[in-house]
């Protein structure tokens, strides 16, 4: 995988510089670590703040989702590396308007430790924090250990739903509760066809033969459930849907949103080919599809592959999902 | 015997040198069971500490606190945060002191281990840096040659855990495949302890 | 480059099936060729119609830009192959609401022949057609032969501007004139790092070494101006800007929109790194940047690489560029 | 001598077979100077004609018109559209007739060439299918053995143009590099003419 780069050391700084320069109406750098992105126009005062954070290399995740009806601030690390506790504390400060801050992010060891530590740091400044972890990747642990699962594209639903709740003026406990409900309603699985290259490492995250794929692989190249011959689009989609529906069965009348997400290089053409099968499987289950999201919502730079996410909705979640939001990568309403 | 700012500065130099030496080894050990950045994390952290070491105060608690901060700022990797957590734990206990009585070292290490365990939400016996520290805390407790006991303990931990499966952090996903492979965080602690004790 | 496919023969049909299923609020298939996409809700009656067409594999180009304030219909061929004259005629029929139809598309031999033939076919049905060709790729011919240039990402600006003019209720001549003005105001250049695979061909469109890039390469892998070692992001951006500005000099006070476009696999992170240099070169020239577009606007499936497009604006073009538009891939206003 | 529906049907069979045979050759010739689909275009077009050939009317003009339509619908490649344009030109002239007087063939070909030239906005001499047709039109005009003259003409065109640069269509971009390489469209017409004339 070839990359267009300058000095790999400066990858994230240059990326953030370009991003804030291209979209000054959405994003600004906050603080002096250079790794915290906040809304260009701060949210309403008295609104619950929502922060996230994690490694770079997943645009639009994480920084891209800072915006109205979504996140207030985000701390971003090097590619695939957690930002520091200090940077996360800065993001929390940027998000706080004295109604407390929800930390909403993916379940990765480093991120959890750092966000916990960041919470201890800002406690001294009287900022109240709550936490909701996304753990939606069904391939990363069996259902009995669901709390150990990694957080992947499901976080986009959680950002959207929690963001809408905060925008409505709900208090910290209420925003946290609905974010947890959204997190619990999400199941994801990925399939990778090719690796990506972490700029500072300079070599692909893993090796895979030209005719192979890996089912269940994580977004940093974490091992999946099987590696084998590349299957057809319909077979891939079918197996991914089987695995998701086994973990979260749907019954007649259920309402569900589904994301068919490119991990990066896989073009929309192929996502649409997959979507036919996704739709027919959901309809076979008797479910109604609400706001299907087909595109690049959570990526690993130039990795080829896809992930599917199901988000099972009740009336509250559906209403919040449909509420307006606006950032450089996604707009609803 | 006591540990003062001077002892600390000398140890910092040795640990920094050890981390530079082990850069590739730690990256590839972490590459086999994780994301391959542990060498980067350790050299960055130690370089940051070295860069400000002349400004470290005589207050050994404050000095350790500043070392912890250097780790917190230089990286967000798990290991850096765990190191910072451990240093912070000792720093709090030692605040206001200009030296550490070596007799208190086992207790300080045990306390650091506990705080790190809380931070990482992991059990002892999971084949992580916690186990190395646990071995050190126990081996040094009442030992005549505390430095030698610490150095032997980190070696022994490696041997005892090599054939267990990883159950914590990124390595967890490898499960049974991790049997026979050294935990990168334990390898790093082995180097740190040996450099600190001058072995 | 690995692809997620079923039978390559069905690639385009399945892609269109998935696309219309995922976005029924935007797109519908028109006629029975299965290769013509029209707006889900027809434009106002009496509005000038705008059609485009060309090969598949360039999403959002072409079909993606069917939508309010943009195109009315589109005929789409196999991957990188012109649709047939018959299909284009069908697209023209879909777009017509008796105010005439502008054919707005890229300068490729096959497309030109087929759209001309399509025009002859619909003439019998009393549909008046005009034509504006995009020929914005500066690498494909010297300025003296500018009319021979290929049409690339510049067409996105032309779709947007002509679409806004049609939506305003201008007549066919006026819409055609402003589309031509927009086409004349665009200059593009691309640089490719890796090829893509045409499904039915099953092999990459070209070969290129792991440490090489090709400056000026066309979106189907047409040869560029040089091939050599992969340069740094700043050098690549610098050379591309040099070539664009040499072809269309900017002076102090000029207003210009710029598109930094991924050819497919290249992630937004890298586009933002490039954008820093693009911005600074335009500001050095004394130009003001209006609505920078950084993302995937015109692609070649999973090709790695980028293109830059400059669109020099006057008051009329700027107003039309800023007018609202809405499709599954792009929204303004 | 005359050409009737039967003559046409037999020619269609031979051309279809020739295109199946030359599928790879035409794709790779077009791959070298274009997008590599000329074999696909020709086999698709001829298969579409074969599929409906039993329904072709006796009106030879209408029959050619339906052949043209088959090309128009089966592909949007330049060559398919040019073929359709040429066939349409002859179809218009022959509408209402049940046979073609071979004496009129050179004129029909010249007219097709002109319509295709208009459609493709290209000059003669550009190393394209137009040049092949131009050679055929001229060589058959007044020839005793018209079939042989046509077959010789497509060969001669190949020879005469091989060392000229392409200036039209996708091949244009290769400029001087195209010298020494055969134009894929000329190769296709060589096969078509030889198959049509049974050579
Ligand atoms: N939750 C945890 N509790 C204790 N130790 C841990 C934990 N997570 C990781 N470690 C230790 O840290 C080492 C990996 O550190 P590091 O490379 O910084 O992790 P990462 O890059 O995944 O953030 C492991 O080998 C292990 O010893
Ligand atoms: N404008 C043109 N005028 C005359 N002949 C042309 C023209 N463009 C292409 N051709 C002929 O068609 C051949 C290529 O046909 P084809 O492969 O169908 O083109 P494409 O795939 O580029 O649409 C060329 O070798 C040439 O002989
Ligand atoms: Mg690591
Ligand atoms: Mg790490
Ligand atoms: Mg071709
Ligand atoms: Mg073609």
């Amino acid at each position: 995988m070839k990359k267009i780069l300058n000095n790999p050391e400066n990858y994230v700084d240059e990326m953030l510089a370009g991003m804030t320069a291209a979209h000054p109406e959405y994003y600004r750098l906050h603080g002096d670590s250079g790794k915290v992105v906040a809304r260009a126009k701060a949210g309403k005062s008295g609104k619950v703040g929502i922060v996230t954070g994690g490694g770079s290399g997943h645009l639009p995740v994480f920084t891209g989702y800072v915006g109205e009806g979504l996140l207030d601030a985000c701390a971003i690390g090097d590619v695939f590396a957690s930002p520091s506790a200090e940077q996360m504390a800065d993001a929390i400060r940027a998000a706080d308007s004295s109604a407390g801050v929800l930390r909403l992010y993916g379940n990765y060891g480093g991120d959890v430790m750092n966000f916990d530590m960041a919470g201890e740091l800002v406690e001294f400044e009287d900022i109240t924090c709550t936490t909701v972890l996304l753990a939606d990747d069904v391939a990363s642990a069996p259902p009995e250990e669901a709390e150990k699962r990694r957080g992947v594209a499901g976080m986009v639903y959680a950002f959207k739903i929690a963001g809408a709740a905060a925008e409505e003026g709900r208090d910290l406990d209420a925003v946290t509760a609905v974010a947890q409900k959204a997190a619990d309603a999400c199941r994801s699985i990925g399939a990778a066809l090719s690796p990506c290259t972490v700029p500072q490492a300079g070599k692909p995250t893993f090796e895979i033969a030209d005719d192979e794929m890996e089912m269940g692989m994580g977004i940093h190249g974490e091992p999946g459930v099987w590696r084998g011959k590349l299957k057809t689009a319909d077979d891939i989609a079918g197996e991914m849907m089987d695995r998701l529906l086994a973990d979260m069965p749907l019954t007649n009348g259920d309402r569900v949103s589904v994301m068919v997400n490119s991990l990066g290089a896989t073009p929309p053409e192929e996502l649409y080919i997959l979507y036919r099968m996704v739709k027919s499987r959901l309809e076979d289950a008797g479910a109604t599809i609400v706001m299907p999201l087909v595109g690049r919502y959570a990526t690993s730079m130039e990795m080829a592959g896809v992930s599917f996410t199901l988000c099972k909705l009740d009336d509250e979640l559906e209403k919040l999902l449909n509420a307006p939001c606006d950032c450089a990568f996604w707009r609803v309403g | 015997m006591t540990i003062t700012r001077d002892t600390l500065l000398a140890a910092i130099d040795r640990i920094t040198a050890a981390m530079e030496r082990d850069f590739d080894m730690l990256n590839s050990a972490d590459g086999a069971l994780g994301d391959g950045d542990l060498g980067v994390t350790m050299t960055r952290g130690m370089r940051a500490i070295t860069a400000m070491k002349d400004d470290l105060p005589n207050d050994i608690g404050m000095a350790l606190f500043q070392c912890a901060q250097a780790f917190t700022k230089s990286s967000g990797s798990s290991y850096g945060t765990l190191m910072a957590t451990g240093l912070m734990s000792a720093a709090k206990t030692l605040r206001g002191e200009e030296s550490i009585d070596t007799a208190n070292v086992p207790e300080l290490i045990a306390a650091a281990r506990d705080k790190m365990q809380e931070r990482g939400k992991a059990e002892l016996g999971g084949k992580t840096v916690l186990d190395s520290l646990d071995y050190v805390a126990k081996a040094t407790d009442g030992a005549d040659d505390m430095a030698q006991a610490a150095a032997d303990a980190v070696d022994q931990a490696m041997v005892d855990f090599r054939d267990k499966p990883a159950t914590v952090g990124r390595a967890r996903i490898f499960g049974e495949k991790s049997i026979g492979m050294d935990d990168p965080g334990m390898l790093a602690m082995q180097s740190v302890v040996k450099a600190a004790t001058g072995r």
Side-chain angles (χ1 to χ4, degrees), chain A, chain B:
Chain A
M1 294 300 99
K2 276 187 242 176
K3 300 179 91 83
I4 303 178
L5 300 169
N6 295 305
N7 184 343
E9 295 268 340
N10 304 330
Y11 185 85
V12 175
D13 290 334
E14 292 181 353
M15 181 269 281
L16 291 175
M19 182 170 167
T20 48
H23 310 291
E25 71 282 22
Y26 289 115
Y27 310 117
R28 68 179 170 84
L29 286 173
H30 165 90
D32 36 48
S33 74
K35 299 289 198 301
V36 175
V37 172
R39 291 194 199 178
K41 274 183 302 185
K44 284 168 255 174
S45 135
K47 185 187 91 64
V48 166
I50 305 180
V51 296
T52 195
S56 289
H58 301 298
L59 279 177
V61 163
F62 297 88
T63 41
Y65 293 111
V66 169
E68 220 179 303
L70 295 161
L71 306 169
D72 294 279
C74 168
I76 191 85
D78 267 336
V79 173
F80 297 177
S82 181
S84 70
E86 194 53 46
Q87 290 156 352
M88 288 172 167
D90 247 4
I92 295 171
R93 290 177 194 115
D96 181 54
S97 68
S98 63
V101 175
L102 166 63
R103 293 168 291 191
L104 183 55
Y105 60 100
N107 184 30
Y108 288 93
D111 294 331
V112 175
M113 289 186 213
N114 289 323
F115 259 126
D116 283 352
M117 190 171 241
E120 288 167 26
L121 294 172
V122 299
E123 240 173 52
F124 289 101
E125 301 157 32
D126 288 323
I127 301 180
T128 315
C129 289
T130 55
T131 297
V132 171
L133 288 182
L134 270 292
D136 52 318
D137 186 347
V138 301
S140 55
E144 314 82 72
E145 299 182 290
E147 76 291 348
K148 291 196 178 168
R149 288 177 175 172
R150 301 179 293 243
V152 285
M155 74 179 78
V156 176
Y157 284 106
F159 294 165
K160 176 71 190 73
I161 288 166
E167 219 71 56
E168 271 187 359
R170 300 194 194 181
D171 70 15
L172 181 60
D173 286 344
V175 171
T176 305
V178 80
Q180 188 64 58
K181 184 156 80 161
D184 292 342
C186 288
R187 297 291 184 286
S188 300
I189 187 163
L193 275 65
S194 82
C196 57
T197 297
V198 175
Q200 286 186 252
K203 54 170 198 256
T205 44
F206 58 91
E207 311 240 314
I208 185 163
D210 262 358
D211 60 346
E212 280 186 340
M213 62 178 287
E214 185 154 328
M215 177 61 64
M217 181 169 262
I219 54 174
H220 311 105
E222 295 91 341
V225 290
W226 59 259
R227 177 181 286 213
K229 286 264 173 287
L230 184 57
K231 299 192 178 181
T232 64
D234 285 352
D235 285 351
I236 294 171
E239 177 172 348
M240 290 169 72
M241 290 306 293
D242 285 344
R243 290 177 181 273
L244 292 178
L245 293 172
D247 209 89
M248 184 173 68
L250 294 178
T251 54
N252 218 7
D254 277 343
R255 298 179 66 82
V256 64
S257 183
V258 59
M259 180 187 293
V260 175
N261 174 56
S262 167
L263 298 180
T266 294
E269 283 83 354
E270 296 173 28
L271 301 181
Y272 288 128
I273 289 175
L274 291 162
Y275 182 70
R276 294 160 35 259
M277 180 58 63
V278 170
K279 178 165 185 267
S280 91
R281 292 299 307 276
L282 290 173
E283 288 174 350
D284 288 351
T288 302
I289 302 176
V290 176
M291 200 197 279
L293 302 173
V294 182
R296 289 167 171 112
Y297 289 88
T299 66
S300 292
M301 295 182 293
E302 72 281 7
M303 190 185 279
V306 291
S307 73
F308 293 172
T309 301
L310 292 182
C311 180
K312 192 163 154 183
L313 302 167
D314 62 10
D315 289 348
E316 181 186 30
L317 294 180
E318 184 168 344
K319 186 174 143 275
L320 293 167
L321 180 61
N322 280 304
C325 78
D326 193 14
C327 69
F329 295 86
W330 194 23
R331 222 163 107 190
V332 176
Chain B
M1 253 179 61
T2 58
I3 297 170
T4 59
R5 178 177 182 279
D6 284 343
T7 333
L8 181 64
L9 293 189
I12 287 172
D13 287 341
R14 291 195 301 273
I15 298 172
T16 306
M19 292 304 107
E20 299 290 347
R21 180 197 66 206
D22 294 344
F23 178 80
D24 285 331
M25 185 272 282
L26 292 174
N27 280 341
S28 48
D30 191 35
L33 285 175
D35 61 353
D37 65 356
L38 189 56
V40 175
T41 302
M42 291 306 292
T43 47
R44 275 211 196 151
M46 291 314 301
R47 280 178 205 170
I49 291 174
T50 302
M52 52 125 207
K53 79 175 201 266
D54 292 338
D55 301 331
L56 286 178
N58 285 326
D59 178 332
I60 196 87
M62 279 307 291
L64 288 176
F65 179 75
Q66 290 178 16
C67 291
Q69 273 195 317
F71 262 103
T72 319
K73 289 197 175 173
S74 70
S75 126
S77 254
S78 308
Y79 208 81
T81 307
L82 288 169
M83 287 287 285
T85 304
L87 289 167
M88 209 93 100
S89 152
K92 281 185 190 162
T93 312
L94 297 166
R95 187 128 182 218
E97 311 287 332
E98 301 223 333
S99 67
I100 314 174
D101 183 345
T102 45
N104 293 331
V105 164
E107 204 178 319
L108 288 167
I109 291 177
R113 174 201 64 201
D114 294 345
K115 285 279 177 211
M116 289 162 73
Q117 194 178 340
E118 245 172 72
R119 169 75 64 225
K121 304 189 181 74
E123 299 299 313
L124 277 182
K127 193 177 177 177
T128 69
V129 61
L130 298 179
D131 295 307
S132 296
L133 288 178
D134 185 48
Y135 270 50
V136 172
K138 289 180 174 146
T140 49
D141 194 9
D144 287 341
D145 184 345
M146 223 179 250
Q148 190 57 49
D152 291 344
V154 285
D155 288 344
Q156 192 59 45
M158 297 303 322
V159 173
D160 290 356
F161 280 90
R162 185 164 296 139
D163 291 331
K164 297 192 176 162
T167 62
V168 176
R170 289 184 201 268
R172 186 181 67 79
I173 194 86
F174 290 87
E176 300 295 306
K177 286 184 223 163
S178 66
I179 290 178
M181 296 166 79
D182 288 330
D183 175 65
M186 294 180 74
L187 284 169
M189 190 47 75
Q190 185 181 33
S191 294
V192 166
V193 167
K194 291 199 165 182
T197 58
R199 306 291 123 138

